[in-house]
Amino acid sequence: MNHTAQRLTFRPGQDGYEDELAGFQTGFAQRPDVVFAAAGTDDVVAAVAYAAEAGLPIGVQATGHGLPDASEGGVLISTRRMDEVVVDPAARTARVGAGVRWGQVVAAAAEHGLAPLNGSAPSVGAVSYTLGGGLGILAREFGYAADHVRSLELVTADGAVRRVTADSEPELFWGLLGGGANLGVVTALEIGLIPVTRLYGGALTFDGREVDPAAILRAYTAWTETVPDEVTSSVAALVYPDLPMLPEALRGSYQVTVRVAYTGGAEEGERLVAPLRAIGPALSDGLRELPYTESHTIHSDPDFPHAYYGESRMLEGLDTAAMERLLALTGPAADRMHVVQLNHLGGALARPAANAVPHRDARWLLRILSPLDGTDRESLREFYADVLTGVDRHVLGRSLNFTFASGDRTEGLYDDETRKRLAGLKATYDPANLFRRNYDVR
Ligand SMILES: Cc1cc2nc3c(=O)[nH]c(=O)nc-3n(C[C@H](O)[C@H](O)[C@H](O)COP(=O)(O)OP(=O)(O)OC[C@H]3O[C@@H](n4cnc5c(N)ncnc54)[C@H](O)[C@@H]3O)c2cc1C
């Protein structure tokens, strides 16, 4: 049987092969034997059947933001054409296809006075983000995006098309949300939406050469102790490279930015952020009332494809001295650019939910991200191990969504109990481990 017949496929050397593989991460390439450019569930079924028959590993790509590693051979299912979003305003839900980016869902939901639990960047794929938990800009108030999933449609390794809810197949539902890429190709999600149309928040940036970054960190962490769950925030520090493509004001500057999102009123918002404004003179103050459709301006993540490596730590507590050392080693004294970010967790994120999203007791998510401009991952790994000394004292594990280009390293992604339970599901639904081109739970 030829499962590629009448399907849109690309093989190495054919026109369109490179374009189909192009994604946000440019640090390394996937070179599959065949790409199935899926337009719908039938194409995904055909691709899975083809791979199963040939015994080939299956990778999935929507946008390429979360590519774990380079790969050779096998089958790649490209889902970018499965980009339909249908909002049900009465039920406050949306059905999002496997290739949908968050920006589309935000726009479609806003037409009905609703919002999804999207993250910082509109270009990120909604499905994979949610399968990895999904830490959104309102995470402390509403929890992980995964906690709001009503149903998942997927194709498992046996080629079966399934619609899974918490009632129909509770164990598979549990495992897909947190371990999803391991158990099949999710073709669509039905997600809950929230009635939010506006926010108070934005970015407050300090010049890290004028205001001591360690003092900003201390003031920020003390401030987080005082805010309600309706406030979700993070702080980021980076030295911009001196590159001609950057606006002159950014080149070589050391910026420490506090990012805030609050669903309450503007007046109360102003009162809540006053201690942040009191930290010192701001380089820029973008704290304001804003429509939800502008929520991507809170983080202003880069929107151009590039090469990057990144690690994360889910932390129960912060060692202030170790954090200050980390900031000092990754700031202007470093020989290359690093972005350090600290997200305040807790609130609804700590509530138990019927899914495999781990490390719910974490109070902080620490992330380091570095461009891979001629830098090898091994030297960054060694550098990170050094700068994380002391910080790791409070570690629960690593974050699935914020572990970039980490290859096949899976340690710390799950606690032992979750991992064993996921491995059990893997043995049932993917015994030949076709879906091993991700963070493999086996
Ligand atoms: C700039 C930027 C901002 C980000 N912001 C946030 C944020 O605010 N919050 C947050 O939680 N995360 C965030 N992330 C992380 C992001 O959620 C993950 O990297 C996610 O995996 C990206 O999904 P994608 O579809 O865009 O990427 P892809 O690289 O296309 O997919 C990543 C992996 O997911 C798996 N996969 C993709 N589609 C499917 C499918 N249909 N079925 C099964 N498996 C699939 C595959 O294993 C694939 O390798 C951000 C990442 C970047 C680069």
Side-chain angles (χ1 to χ4, degrees):
M1 203 181 343
N2 179 6
H3 294 286
T4 62
Q6 279 130 40
R7 307 283 169 197
L8 181 59
T9 57
F10 299 99
R11 290 178 187 273
Q14 276 183 341
D15 276 357
Y17 178 83
E18 303 296 339
D19 287 349
E20 198 62 37
L21 293 171
F24 195 74
Q25 168 66 271
T26 61
F28 39 82
Q30 303 200 63
R31 313 301 304 167
D33 296 327
V34 56
V35 184
F36 278 75
T41 302
D42 288 354
D43 293 337
V44 175
V45 171
V48 171
Y50 174 84
E53 204 170 276
L56 294 171
I58 301 173
V60 188
Q61 181 168 313
T63 75
H65 279 74
L67 213 59
D69 208 348
S71 67
E72 270 304 315
V75 170
L76 185 97
I77 302 175
S78 165
T79 61
R80 62 171 73 167
R81 289 168 188 74
M82 298 171 69
D83 61 353
E84 193 182 49
V85 181
V86 181
V87 175
D88 180 340
R92 288 189 182 164
T93 58
R95 182 179 180 279
V96 298
V100 168
R101 296 172 188 262
W102 273 126
Q104 289 170 257
V105 194
V106 170
E111 287 177 25
H112 305 281
L114 298 168
L117 292 157
N118 56 290
S120 57
S123 57
V124 164
V127 167
S128 176
Y129 162 103
T130 306
L131 299 181
L135 185 71
I137 53 176
L138 298 176
R140 280 176 30 85
E141 183 172 359
F142 296 101
Y144 285 101
D147 304 346
H148 296 258
V149 171
R150 307 290 172 83
S151 68
L152 303 100
E153 293 164 39
L154 76 150
V155 178
T156 38
D158 56 2
V161 178
R162 298 166 193 267
R163 182 172 179 278
V164 180
T165 67
D167 294 328
S168 71
E169 287 179 82
E171 186 65 7
L172 184 54
F173 183 85
W174 171 87
L176 284 163
L177 297 166
N182 271 282
L183 301 172
V185 184
V186 174
T187 51
L189 291 180
E190 189 192 356
I191 56 172
L193 302 172
I194 50 168
V196 171
T197 57
R198 50 149 298 286
L199 295 174
Y200 178 86
L204 179 67
T205 300
F206 301 96
D207 182 339
R209 290 191 174 87
E210 292 208 339
V211 186
D212 176 13
I216 300 172
L217 183 75
R218 278 195 301 273
Y220 167 71
T221 53
W223 173 78
T224 60
E225 300 286 335
T226 67
V227 298
D229 290 356
E230 288 76 21
V231 174
T232 300
S233 67
S234 61
V235 62
L238 78 154
V239 181
Y240 282 93
D242 191 0
L243 292 174
M245 74 262 259
L246 290 175
E248 211 169 317
L250 285 186
R251 288 183 216 163
S253 66
Y254 183 22
Q255 304 206 351
V256 184
T257 301
V258 181
R259 290 88 60 101
V260 179
Y262 170 55
T263 51
E267 204 176 312
E268 182 59 9
E270 291 276 311
R271 197 192 64 76
L272 281 167
V273 301
L276 296 175
R277 285 185 165 134
I279 290 174
L283 203 54
S284 66
D285 183 343
L287 295 169
R288 67 201 190 281
E289 183 153 45
L290 67 155
Y292 196 83
T293 47
E294 284 176 22
S295 60
H296 60 277
T297 63
I298 297 174
H299 292 77
S300 299
D301 283 339
D303 56 3
F304 49 88
H306 58 282
Y308 49 98
Y309 175 77
E311 258 302 342
S312 60
R313 293 290 185 270
M314 300 291 278
L315 301 169
E316 274 177 312
L318 279 187
D319 182 314
T320 316
M323 280 299 298
E324 289 176 12
R325 177 176 174 271
L326 184 150
L327 279 177
L329 293 173
T330 52
D335 58 4
R336 63 174 73 98
M337 176 185 176
H338 307 284
V339 187
V340 173
Q341 304 191 54
L342 185 70
N343 288 68
H344 179 214
L345 305 180
L349 293 164
R351 285 187 211 136
N355 60 49
V357 178
H359 308 316
R360 285 187 180 261
D361 292 340
R363 301 264 300 118
W364 302 99
L365 164 63
L366 174 66
R367 309 188 250 158
I368 316 180
L369 189 125
S370 313
L372 279 173
D373 44 2
T375 320
D376 67 285
R377 283 188 272 172
E378 197 44 53
S379 64
L380 280 173
R381 221 166 270 166
E382 282 167 19
F383 177 73
Y384 286 9
D386 176 22
V387 298
L388 287 166
T389 308
V391 176
D392 270 354
R393 215 156 56 82
H394 295 289
V395 78
L396 289 172
R398 299 156 73 215
S399 154
L400 271 173
N401 271 7
F402 293 105
T403 297
F404 295 116
S406 176
D408 55 5
R409 290 179 58 235
T410 57
E411 74 272 10
L413 291 179
Y414 302 100
D415 54 84
D416 285 349
E417 198 189 324
T418 303
R419 188 176 177 125
K420 276 191 200 126
R421 207 168 147 188
L422 285 172
L425 278 165
K426 181 86 166 163
T428 306
Y429 290 97
D430 183 19
N433 204 7
L434 295 183
F435 301 110
R436 58 179 178 271
R437 292 251 156 109
N438 53 66
Y439 300 110
D440 186 356
V441 295
R442 202 173 50 152

